[in-house]
Amino acid sequence: MKSPIFNPQSAIGSVSPQVPEKPALEGLEQKWMARWEADAVYRFDRTRPRSEVFSIDTPPPTVSGSLHVGHVFSFTHTDVVARFHRMRGKAVFYPMGWDDNGLPTERRVQNYFGVRCDPSLPYDPSFVPPEKPGKHVIPVSRPNFVELCARLTAEDEKAFERLWRHLGLSVDWSMTYATIDPRSQRISQLSFLRLLGKGLAYQLEAPTLWDVDFRTAVAQAELEDREQPGAYHRIRFRIADRDDFVTIDTTRPELIPACVALVAHPDDERYKPLFGRDVITPLFGVRVPVRAHTLADPEKGTGVAMICTFGDITDVTWWRELSLPVRAIIQPNGAFKPVTWGERGWESTDASAAQTHYDQLAGLSAVKARTRVVEQLKASGDLLGDPRPITHAVKFYEKGDRPLEIVTSRQWFVKTMEFREVLLARGRELRWHPPYMQARYENWINGLAGDWCVSRQRFFGVPFPLWYKVRADGTVDHDARLLPHEDQLPIDPSTDVPDGYTADQRNQPGGFAGDPDIMDTWATSSLTPQIVSRWEEDGDLFARVFPMDVRPQAHDIIRTWLFDTVLRSQFEFNSLPWQHAAISGWVLDPDRKKMSKSKGNVVTPLALLEEHGSDGVRYWAASGRPGTDTAFDSGQMKVGRRLAIKLLNASRFVLAKPEPHGAVTVPVDRGLLSMLARIVRDSTTDLEEFNYTRVLERSETFFWFFCDDYLELVKGRRYGDQGPALAASANGALLTALSTMLRLFAPFLPFVTEEVWSWWRPGSIHQAEWPSAEEVLSASGGAEDSRGIEALEFASAVLGAIRRKKSEEQRPLKTPVARAVVRGPAPLLSLLPDIERDVCAAGLIAQLETAPADTLQVDVELAKAEPPAEERAQ
């Protein structure tokens, strides 16, 4: 229910102010958190039609330890927008989610309990983890491991919720979800089965980006380049059937046994005579062809490169487009696998020598194998000169510690490459805030190198909902899929049994085998609009909130969360999932680096909230412009706290004597409301466009002008020094301005504004109506008063000159002014009658004179200082 708009013409009556003697910020969070929850202030009204709903696809923070100040930063931006639209009369759909599956959670559980998952172990219902992790890691079954993950994330989620409530997020906590809960699993599996049925999901054994520590495939979107030391090695390959050599430069000489070809640019005259010929690999004696491809760079190294299966993504492209064989040597654990040279696929001109060289590499990591191969090349004379040190970009999994490898494995993919144009078109339909973020989305799509790999070889996540038939010889037939019915979801193929089979047929000849993998965490997170709107579960709710109004998120996950969500919505609904994308920046540490838990440079927010107050921290966060990285600055939080304290004190002054109040008739009073009406009009437009920072800046500037200039100007008059009619005008302006300013600040400073509102207005300010310019001006006749604005600005300038004079002479502000001469143009001086009495009272001016001048000048003569008391006594 909306609180009634304050009308300064009406008597305060039953809502007479109840102002505390010494208002303070301390304790406001606890007081109002409890009240908001008890009164269901932020509960979503699902009876409202879609046209009256503002729905938010909230980012579910990763539950893997603790929130940091970067979360506070971006979630405050979303909350400001949510509060604004609620006050604009919308039913705000604002759920909170927890992203609790995936690698970060698994790593935290492993470290916290001292366990590791071994899927070969049976479930132990009596397993109890040690109170503290021991020296030796305990292997546990997958079901036991998943139970520990669920246990720890449940504890983390409670801590996250407490902090979010303390920050004042206006979330409907009755609609909380988790990306691993049954609803999320059901929707993820349902969507996957639909993609499979449409031919948009497929399984393939192919080269895959692979993290050797986590032993899982990763997607292109999860990569990051890190500068690493390396070296170029110039290596010679003998040209087959000729006593001549061709040289290459490589940073990965250890992959020579995996070499399947050399490649050069088709227009490179140096190598045209070699195209179609073979060369012999050093050490291993393998005949490989020299091929032409446009991706070969004539300016890089010697202009000819080694194609290995697989060293990098370009190798995969060359391998695929040139139809080359596979000679893979790196295993999922990162070690070189055993190879028998001379067998099919491992042919050599000297199998014995190849075996001798390779046996020294088998079982080694890539780094150790590189050192050994360099020693072998030096001994054979095939390394020309010494390695040349370089620093170059190497691809890592964003959460990994070792460079990625490319391993051939069976994975699930979702088609993306053939839909790039339609996805680019969707991006142009979306309204981006700020607009330039659209370019990041388009750059990502244009740079895609393959379809989206959505499977992971991990344990805590949403399982792929299918089984495979097992052949009579015990091998799995991956083409013979067994699918559940949609109404059976969610299912876990590692424990559930397909229709027509029994549990004892699992992994047996003629039986079935469950798909062992889980979905990439983004495969579930990309469905958050469907999860929160209860797609295919609650059609009424879905129709009221989807497509959603806004997706707020950081710019670094445009390539993952935003892109993937657009993709999934396109496939299922042929539409965008939301109308707007509100992009926030990062919080930077003092070294201008992104704050993140993985980098170890984060600041946890609870102490900040307790020290500066939630409103103070929110003030700093809301000062960060959309899409812009912002430095962590506790000094700004102190500024926000001072603003909140001043709001308490100024409100106490305004409400201390609200009578008499009535129509606003005095020019400076009308000028104040006219200025405020313009601010309300501009702020409304800005918040509709997610420009919350400009609104805060504008509101704060006006508030300090109100406190420093206007309050001082009308202080005497509002107490009746110039008669009741003029006092009524001042009080009418003060009360209207206070009501309006509180509501302008409410989305940013929810606790202090709610506290002040409660002193004199019924209900919650966060359910009150957002102010309008018309409402503000109605107190002064309904129209802007330009002359009143000029008069108020003139009065402010005169008072400012008087304050400066007192400051320069180091005299108290209460020092009387014996004489003031205001010089200026005639139009300006014509305003003096409108302000003279207020200015003289506020400035303690005994004699006020005017004189013509081209620009405004104020000559101030202060009253003589009284001699010290001892001199007066003499």
Side-chain angles (χ1 to χ4, degrees):
M1 178 181 176
K2 297 285 180 186
S3 296
I5 300 171
F6 175 73
N7 180 354
Q9 304 294 344
S10 66
I12 291 181
S14 62
V15 289
S16 57
Q18 301 292 319
V19 183
E21 244 183 80
K22 294 182 179 179
L25 298 180
E26 286 70 27
L28 292 188
E29 288 88 355
Q30 289 71 25
K31 173 182 177 180
W32 291 111
M33 279 191 293
R35 189 79 59 83
W36 292 334
E37 180 65 21
D39 295 346
V41 170
Y42 307 127
R43 191 65 52 86
F44 174 62
D45 180 1
R46 60 173 296 161
T47 66
R48 305 276 288 280
R50 180 65 187 90
S51 60
E52 297 177 9
V53 169
F54 185 81
S55 53
I56 303 171
D57 183 15
T58 321
T62 301
V63 181
S64 57
S66 61
L67 294 166
H68 61 78
V69 75
H71 295 105
V72 166
F73 179 72
S74 57
F75 275 79
T76 296
H77 302 165
T78 306
D79 191 58
V80 167
V81 173
R83 289 179 177 279
F84 164 71
H85 281 281
R86 190 178 288 108
M87 295 176 73
R88 289 279 281 170
K90 292 293 183 75
V92 175
F93 182 72
Y94 188 15
M96 179 58 65
W98 312 120
D99 188 7
D100 44 13
N101 60 25
L103 290 172
T105 299
E106 289 192 21
R107 177 184 281 179
R108 174 161 157 73
V109 168
Q110 289 167 356
N111 295 335
Y112 189 89
F113 292 111
V115 299
R116 67 174 176 84
C117 182
D118 183 347
S120 67
L121 294 176
Y123 175 63
D124 180 359
S126 62
F127 174 74
V128 177
E131 291 187 11
K132 293 182 179 179
K135 294 181 179 179
H136 302 290
V137 177
I138 303 172
V140 297
S141 71
R142 179 174 176 174
N144 286 118
F145 185 75
V146 168
E147 285 180 355
L148 293 178
C149 290
R151 169 178 159 183
L152 196 56
T153 54
E155 295 174 9
D156 288 342
E157 287 164 8
K158 292 175 184 176
F160 280 28
E161 181 176 334
R162 285 194 296 270
L163 190 140
W164 280 151
R165 287 179 181 271
H166 197 114
L167 182 64
L169 296 191
S170 58
V171 164
D172 182 347
W173 291 104
S174 70
M175 309 192 79
T176 305
Y177 70 95
T179 57
I180 198 66
D181 66 23
R183 175 182 298 121
S184 296
Q185 292 202 40
R186 184 190 64 80
I187 288 174
S188 297
Q189 292 182 341
L190 173 60
S191 178
F192 172 78
L193 291 177
R194 299 258 179 108
L195 291 176
L196 192 61
K198 296 174 184 176
L200 297 171
Y202 64 94
Q203 194 179 48
L204 184 67
E205 187 162 356
T208 309
L209 291 161
W210 189 271
D211 187 282
V212 298
D213 290 323
F214 288 111
R215 300 190 190 183
T216 182
V218 298
Q220 182 183 350
E222 298 170 305
L223 308 186
E224 65 180 29
D225 287 335
R226 300 180 193 170
E227 290 295 318
Q228 299 288 303
Y232 270 127
H233 305 77
R234 182 153 291 182
I235 301 168
R236 67 180 188 177
F237 284 62
R238 184 169 60 84
I239 301 173
D241 307 320
R242 284 173 52 181
D243 190 19
D244 197 4
F245 296 88
V246 62
T247 60
I248 68 154
D249 280 343
T250 180
T251 60
R252 300 204 65 180
E254 74 276 12
L255 294 182
I256 291 174
C259 179
V260 292
L262 299 188
V263 64
H265 195 278
D267 298 331
D268 195 327
E269 296 293 338
R270 295 172 294 176
Y271 301 110
K272 279 184 176 181
L274 290 179
F275 295 148
R277 297 183 65 97
D278 288 347
V279 296
I280 309 298
T281 64
L283 303 179
F284 301 96
V286 179
R287 293 180 71 104
V288 298
V290 181
R291 305 293 296 273
H293 196 283
T294 54
L295 286 180
D297 184 356
E299 303 299 323
K300 186 175 181 180
T302 64
V304 63
M306 179 171 65
I307 303 176
C308 303
T309 51
F310 295 93
D312 58 22
I313 295 174
T314 308
D315 275 345
V316 177
T317 302
W318 281 329
W319 164 79
R320 182 181 294 117
E321 296 185 5
L322 297 176
S323 301
L324 296 169
V326 174
R327 192 170 291 122
I329 57 176
I330 295 181
Q331 302 176 102
N333 65 356
F336 276 44
K337 72 178 184 180
V339 168
T340 302
W341 287 88
E343 292 186 350
R344 184 176 181 182
W346 297 96
E347 296 84 357
S348 170
T349 58
D350 188 344
S352 176
Q355 193 70 56
T356 299
H357 286 117
Y358 191 85
D359 285 346
Q360 299 177 48
L361 310 179
L364 297 182
S365 67
V367 173
K368 291 180 178 178
R370 184 177 310 147
T371 301
R372 188 66 54 85
V373 166
V374 169
E375 293 171 353
Q376 294 173 348
L377 290 168
K378 285 180 179 179
S380 69
D382 293 312
L383 180 66
L384 305 181
D386 293 326
R388 307 188 307 279
I390 61 167
T391 300
H392 61 149
V394 177
K395 296 199 179 298
F396 282 73
Y397 171 48
E398 60 189 358
K399 296 180 175 65
D401 298 320
R402 285 199 281 174
L404 288 170
E405 297 290 353
I406 296 179
V407 173
T408 299
S409 59
R410 181 174 294 278
Q411 305 291 340
W412 282 104
F413 296 86
V414 171
K415 292 183 178 180
T416 53
M417 297 295 286
E418 63 189 86
F419 296 97
R420 287 193 292 185
E421 289 304 318
V422 70
L423 295 171
L424 286 168
R426 288 298 184 199
R428 296 178 190 121
E429 290 177 35
L430 187 60
R431 295 186 62 185
W432 296 83
H433 308 277
Y436 64 80
M437 286 295 172
Q438 180 182 340
R440 298 200 183 194
Y441 173 84
E442 294 190 352
N443 290 342
W444 169 250
I445 294 177
N446 290 326
L448 284 172
D451 288 339
W452 177 16
C453 177
V454 296
S455 48
R456 296 293 179 269
Q457 289 64 55
R458 299 301 300 174
F459 315 110
F460 187 52
V462 179
F464 284 92
L466 72 165
W467 306 264
Y468 309 98
K469 292 183 179 180
V470 177
R471 300 184 182 96
D473 63 2
T475 59
V476 176
D477 185 355
H478 288 96
D479 293 325
R481 298 169 186 152
L482 303 167
L483 304 179
H485 299 292
E486 290 185 354
D487 60 6
Q488 293 176 306
L489 302 176
I491 64 112
D492 183 348
S494 70
T495 54
D496 293 323
V497 176
D499 290 346
Y501 291 83
T502 59
D504 57 5
Q505 291 178 280
R506 183 180 298 276
N507 300 324
Q508 298 299 312
F512 69 94
D515 192 298
D517 293 342
I518 63 168
M519 297 182 194
D520 167 24
T521 186
W522 294 113
T524 298
S525 294
S526 61
L527 297 169
T528 52
Q530 291 92 308
I531 292 169
V532 298
S533 60
R534 303 187 181 183
W535 172 57
E536 297 288 16
E537 174 188 339
D538 187 336
D540 178 76
L541 178 65
F542 185 79
R544 294 178 194 275
V545 301
F546 187 92
M548 305 184 80
D549 288 276
V550 63
R551 153 65 66 81
Q553 66 165 74
H555 55 64
D556 58 320
I557 51 174
I558 288 174
R559 73 189 194 281
T560 48
W561 194 34
L562 189 146
F563 169 77
D564 294 340
T565 310
V566 171
L567 177 74
R568 303 298 287 274
S569 183
Q570 174 64 31
F571 285 163
E572 188 63 43
F573 309 109
N574 194 32
S575 73
L576 281 171
W578 357 259
Q579 300 177 46
H580 301 266
I583 309 299
S584 61
W586 289 338
V587 174
L588 306 178
D589 68 11
D591 295 327
R592 305 296 295 177
K593 295 178 181 177
K594 177 194 176 185
M595 280 193 179
S596 69
K597 285 184 280 189
S598 62
K599 297 181 186 296
N601 62 347
V602 300
V603 175
T604 53
L606 186 57
L608 295 172
L609 294 171
E610 291 173 344
E611 178 182 358
H612 305 291
S614 297
D615 286 339
V617 175
R618 289 173 64 104
Y619 170 87
W620 160 75
S623 299
R625 298 185 183 281
T628 304
D629 295 343
T630 301
F632 172 75
D633 186 358
S634 60
Q636 277 290 92
M637 298 176 191
K638 293 177 182 177
V639 172
R641 180 174 176 82
R642 285 197 296 270
L643 174 62
I645 291 171
K646 187 66 174 179
L647 194 55
L648 283 177
N649 293 331
S651 300
R652 182 175 181 274
F653 172 80
V654 170
L655 296 174
K657 190 181 183 304
E659 298 291 352
H661 70 275
V664 178
T665 56
V666 176
V668 293
D669 302 336
R670 293 168 58 85
L672 179 81
L673 298 188
S674 295
M675 292 170 65
L676 185 54
R678 293 179 182 179
I679 287 170
V680 168
R681 188 179 295 114
D682 292 342
S683 295
T684 303
T685 300
D686 280 336
L687 277 172
E688 293 281 5
E689 292 299 319
F690 301 87
N691 291 321
Y692 46 82
T693 305
R694 283 210 299 238
V695 177
L696 179 59
E697 290 172 346
R698 193 184 291 115
S699 300
E700 183 183 12
T701 299
F702 178 84
F703 174 71
W704 286 112
F705 170 81
F706 173 82
C707 294
D708 295 341
D709 290 7
Y710 181 76
L711 286 184
E712 293 301 317
L713 189 68
V714 302
K715 184 183 294 183
R717 176 156 57 87
R718 68 88 54 108
Y719 282 121
D721 292 354
Q722 299 176 34
L726 298 184
S729 176
N731 279 326
L734 287 169
L735 294 170
T736 301
L738 179 61
S739 169
T740 304
M741 288 188 297
L742 287 174
R743 284 177 284 158
L744 287 175
F745 278 127
F748 304 93
L749 312 175
F751 292 102
V752 69
T753 52
E754 185 76 292
E755 173 67 12
V756 174
W757 191 261
S758 73
W759 297 348
W760 67 313
R761 305 302 302 145
S764 171
I765 191 172
H766 304 298
Q767 293 179 319
E769 189 169 339
W770 182 256
S772 67
E774 294 72 22
E775 172 201 339
V776 175
L777 293 174
S778 67
S780 58
E784 280 192 14
D785 187 340
S786 299
R787 179 181 173 88
I789 294 175
E790 293 173 2
L792 181 55
E793 291 174 341
F794 182 26
S796 174
V798 173
L799 287 180
I802 292 171
R803 282 196 292 264
R804 281 193 299 275
K805 180 66 173 179
K806 293 177 181 179
S807 177
E808 289 166 2
E809 295 193 9
Q810 298 183 343
R811 302 284 295 278
L813 287 178
K814 293 185 178 180
T815 301
V817 175
R819 178 170 173 266
V821 180
V822 179
R823 307 177 190 277
L828 189 62
L829 296 181
S830 70
L831 299 171
L832 193 61
D834 293 341
I835 67 170
E836 184 171 2
R837 294 179 68 179
D838 285 339
V839 167
C840 288
L844 304 176
I845 302 172
Q847 183 178 343
L848 182 63
E849 302 174 7
T850 61
D854 292 335
T855 58
L856 176 63
Q857 304 167 42
V858 182
D859 299 332
V860 180
E861 179 186 330
L862 299 179
K864 292 181 179 180
E866 291 190 7
E870 57 270 19
E871 292 184 19
R872 293 199 304 272
Q874 293 175 1

